[in-house]
Amino acid sequence: MFIIFPRLRLRISVFALPILLVMLWLDGTAAFAILLLSAAAHEFGHIIAMRIRGHRPRRIDVLPMGALI
């Protein structure tokens, strides 16, 4: 079960959203923001490496414990 954004080739698991909210509630806003931004930068690095090698991601799936590109 995913929330689908076809133009962005992005699918977000419906189970990822409650986990993100629990993390926000447990860790506080600053820690949550740092964690979320660092994870986004990490995954963006994978996309950049794919583009440098001449590949194009078909889609990006955001799952409860990470992402799948």
Side-chain angles (χ1 to χ4, degrees):
M1 298 175 63
F2 290 95
I3 300 168
I4 300 172
F5 300 92
R7 297 188 90 208
L8 298 174
R9 297 182 186 161
L10 176 67
R11 299 185 331 164
I12 300 175
S13 170
V14 294
F15 301 109
L17 297 176
I19 289 175
L20 290 175
L21 291 175
V22 168
M23 287 174 55
L24 175 62
W25 179 66
L26 291 175
D27 290 336
T29 307
F32 178 75
I34 291 169
L35 178 67
L36 191 62
L37 289 174
S38 63
H42 174 87
E43 295 304 328
F44 190 64
H46 287 292
I47 294 170
I48 290 172
M50 287 177 69
R51 297 296 294 217
I52 289 172
R53 298 290 299 160
H55 299 285
R56 190 169 182 194
R58 290 189 191 121
R59 72 172 187 249
I60 301 168
D61 293 344
V62 178
L63 305 169
M65 294 299 192
L68 178 65
I69 298 176

